[in-house]
Amino acid sequence: MRIVLPEKVNSIIDCLQNHGFEAYAVGGCVRDSILGREPQDWDITTSAKPEEVKALFSYTIDTGIQHGTVTVMLDHEGFEVTTYRIDGEYEDARHPKEVTFTSQLIEDLKRRDFTINAMAYNDRDGLVDAFDGIGDLERKIIRCVGNPMERFTEDALRILRAVRFAAQLDCSIDGPTKAAITRLAPNLSKISAERIQVELVKLLISPNPDMMRDVYALGIADVVLPEFSLLMTTEQNNEYHIYTTGEHTLHSLPLVPADKVLRLTMLLHDIEKPSCKTTDENGVDHFYGHQSKGAETARKILRRLKFDNDTIQKVCALIKIHDDKPELTLKSVRKAMFRHGLEQYPNLFAVKRADAGAQSQFNYERKMAYIDEYERLYQQILEEQNCLSLKDLAITGKDLIALGIAPGKAIGEILNKMLQDVLEQPELNDREILIKRLQENEYF
Ligand code: ATP
Ligand code: MG
């Protein structure tokens, strides 16, 4: 097996070898190279101690020096070089109490999570694959290195990583590894929200975001996202739906592009349906108000998972308006664009299509035709460069003051009334016309 390492990676490995140390590319980059995927980053493992690595390269950063990691910088590009290590006893399912450096590559490979992530490579020795990572890649299986119960007890994050890799690489999880996940999923409660977030996002933007089904089935959701577990058991008995709220959500996920905001929006768009469910006298379920309430709950969930404010704000805005259905006229769509904010478009159309696509066939064509026409009107409004906000108005607060209106609250009120008129009739967005209407007392 030959892997083509980037020149810089080879130069780091060569340099270490020329000074009598062992060095290999290791982990995710080896796995991805074998699969023909572009590696995210290149990690190097070496028998050299951190101080020895630092002595060999002119520019290094102490990234995680106590764990043996030094970043070697070559032309503004960083490569993590980590000393072979054995992780000591683990405390509270998270952190090794101490790490010990070792001179044996095999010891370092043993501490890694899955067989497919425990391969090392350099040009001199070729592939070092002590746990049949290659075989598991071929069989498409995620399997722990060593005893899964022990490995998940050491670090519970590996439980979620197993499902994440399965989703990214189209794999299934090996029987004993899966059994251990089911037993130990509750330990995920000891893992920081930040680390969970990273894995959750990677899973969601993978080619198989609906593997959230496994996150639920293996008992992981109960710990990291109990609100989602509730979706999985909530029936929706009406002509629009064929699935539970949870299955509907799972079916909607792959229908939006692999984008963090869009996938999180689909994951959480119906999150408050369980609490908003009412059943009428005909046995038909309704979910009045689930959009606004869902947006609030999504905010709480995303805050709990330590997402950044920008992501939270975008996701919650989309959830709140995902069912909004303006009348299909230019006037109503312009008002919707003003109400929702232009930044929600065109994401909103992707969300609406995915939502409709994961519902029953009932009225399907009509729902899609509605969204198509909504989008066509939206495009037309953009092309016509209609005024959609105060800053596009042909008149400003200063103009009003110059016309003798007293500065203060009245100015804002007048401008807003003018904007409402202009949203209805774009041709009114003309300085002379607006001034004339002002003088005719239209805005008092
Ligand atoms: P990605 O492509 O998402 O970066 P990766 O496999 O490179 O995937 P990283 O989190 O970057 O994953 O970790 C690099 C390597 O470090 C892994 O391939 C694995 O060998 C090891 N590793 C990472 N996290 C753990 C962990 N929690 N337990 C054991 N080994 C781990
Ligand atoms: Mg990586």
Side-chain angles (χ1 to χ4, degrees):
M1 168 87 50
R2 183 164 158 73
I3 292 174
V4 180
L5 302 177
E7 214 171 294
K8 286 177 187 154
V9 174
N10 261 331
S11 77
I12 295 171
I13 291 175
D14 283 349
C15 176
L16 286 159
Q17 288 178 334
N18 291 340
H19 288 83
F21 302 110
E22 294 177 11
Y24 299 84
V26 70
C29 61
V30 175
R31 175 201 69 219
D32 287 342
S33 297
I34 294 170
L35 289 172
R37 288 161 51 101
E38 177 84 24
Q40 304 250 325
D41 36 39
W42 293 85
D43 295 326
I44 293 161
T45 187
T46 180
S47 59
K49 303 288 183 302
E51 293 309 320
E52 294 169 326
V53 175
K54 286 171 71 171
L56 288 180
F57 300 93
S58 45
Y59 189 35
T60 63
I61 301 167
D62 289 3
T63 314
I65 197 92
Q66 67 284 24
H67 295 110
T69 303
V70 170
T71 298
V72 173
M73 298 298 300
L74 297 179
D75 303 331
H76 307 289
E77 207 181 336
F79 298 88
E80 289 197 354
V81 179
T82 304
T83 305
Y84 294 165
R85 64 175 221 226
I86 301 171
D87 293 343
E89 226 177 281
Y90 277 74
E91 290 176 309
D92 54 8
R94 271 186 301 189
H95 302 300
K97 234 189 277 178
E98 81 235 309
V99 306
T100 336
F101 298 138
T102 164
S103 58
Q104 305 297 314
L105 171 64
I106 181 77
E107 294 300 323
D108 184 85
L109 296 179
K110 261 192 216 164
R111 74 170 171 89
R112 293 175 184 272
D113 46 8
F114 305 110
T115 59
I116 59 168
N117 289 345
M119 293 182 278
Y121 177 90
N122 66 26
D123 285 343
R124 194 188 284 176
D125 303 329
L127 188 73
V128 180
D129 177 21
F131 307 101
D132 196 21
I134 282 280
D136 285 340
L137 273 186
E138 277 164 7
R139 290 184 291 270
K140 288 184 164 283
I141 280 177
I142 306 297
R143 182 164 60 92
C144 283
V145 173
N147 179 321
M149 287 295 285
E150 284 171 19
R151 305 318 308 283
F152 292 140
T153 304
E154 289 167 357
D155 180 0
L157 185 71
R158 294 170 186 159
I159 291 168
L160 184 53
R161 280 172 67 85
V163 187
R164 183 265 272 198
F165 284 117
Q168 280 184 321
L169 306 173
D170 248 329
C171 290
S172 56
I173 301 174
D174 191 45
T177 296
K178 204 172 197 171
I181 290 178
T182 312
R183 291 271 297 278
L184 295 173
N187 285 3
L188 272 163
S189 65
K190 298 174 190 163
I191 300 296
S192 75
E194 288 85 350
R195 292 178 79 203
I196 287 175
Q197 184 212 115
V198 169
E199 299 301 326
L200 203 56
V201 168
K202 286 186 175 177
L203 191 161
L204 284 172
I205 61 172
S206 77
N208 299 289
D210 48 343
M211 279 212 189
M212 281 301 297
R213 190 179 285 109
D214 301 74
V215 170
Y216 165 71
L218 295 168
I220 299 171
D222 287 351
V223 190
V224 304
L225 202 58
E227 297 88 347
F228 182 73
S229 293
L230 192 55
L231 280 188
M232 292 299 296
T233 53
T234 302
E235 302 283 342
Q236 33 188 1
N237 177 29
N238 59 42
E239 56 200 347
Y240 293 104
H241 285 282
I242 39 176
Y243 303 123
T244 60
T245 52
E247 279 297 325
H248 160 69
T249 295
L250 291 171
H251 280 82
S252 75
L253 279 168
L255 299 180
V256 286
D259 165 84
K260 177 164 86 168
V261 165
L262 286 173
R263 292 271 165 97
L264 284 170
T265 301
M266 294 329 292
L267 179 70
L268 301 175
H269 77 285
D270 279 348
I271 203 71
E272 278 294 357
K273 269 197 168 177
S275 75
C276 292
K277 178 169 161 172
T278 54
T279 306
D280 68 20
E281 61 280 9
N282 301 318
V284 175
D285 294 335
H286 303 274
F287 302 92
Y288 301 117
H290 77 276
Q291 302 88 340
S292 299
K293 203 174 168 201
E296 285 320 302
T297 301
R299 187 179 307 280
K300 281 186 209 138
I301 293 171
L302 295 173
R303 283 217 180 114
R304 188 176 78 212
L305 289 170
K306 300 287 196 307
F307 277 89
D308 59 284
N309 285 333
D310 183 54
T311 303
I312 295 177
Q313 184 257 323
K314 285 179 177 152
V315 170
C316 296
L318 283 167
I319 292 175
K320 191 168 174 198
I321 62 175
H322 77 269
D323 272 341
D324 187 67
K325 293 184 195 71
E327 204 190 313
L328 291 177
T329 61
L330 285 166
K331 186 167 93 178
S332 295
V333 172
R334 267 192 301 265
K335 285 184 169 180
M337 289 163 74
F338 164 68
R339 206 167 51 240
H340 301 330
L342 264 190
E343 62 279 11
Q344 309 316 333
Y345 298 84
N347 274 353
L348 180 59
F349 299 121
V351 169
K352 282 183 161 298
R353 289 199 173 94
D355 194 6
Q359 295 175 5
S360 70
Q361 282 302 309
F362 175 73
N363 271 349
Y364 175 78
E365 304 296 330
R366 229 175 67 194
K367 283 184 276 191
M368 286 301 179
Y370 171 87
I371 300 166
D372 289 347
E373 179 62 5
Y374 185 176
E375 185 162 26
R376 194 190 65 74
L377 291 168
Y378 156 82
Q379 287 294 353
Q380 184 179 337
I381 291 163
L382 285 188
E383 273 157 34
E384 289 174 7
Q385 300 189 317
N386 288 166
C387 164
L388 295 167
S389 68
L390 285 176
K391 72 172 180 15
D392 300 332
L393 216 51
I395 200 165
T396 66
K398 266 194 194 147
D399 294 329
L400 295 183
I401 293 167
L403 288 164
I405 313 235
K409 225 174 84 190
I411 301 271
E413 282 169 12
I414 293 172
L415 288 173
N416 274 305
K417 282 185 193 162
M418 288 176 162
L419 177 60
Q420 287 309 315
D421 276 0
V422 165
L423 288 169
E424 297 216 2
Q425 293 173 269
E427 62 277 11
L428 294 183
N429 194 27
D430 174 285
R431 221 177 104 86
E432 302 306 317
I433 296 177
L434 290 171
I435 291 174
K436 185 154 167 282
R437 286 169 67 87
L438 182 73
Q439 285 161 346
E440 286 164 357
N441 287 342
E442 282 287 336
Y443 299 116
F444 294 99

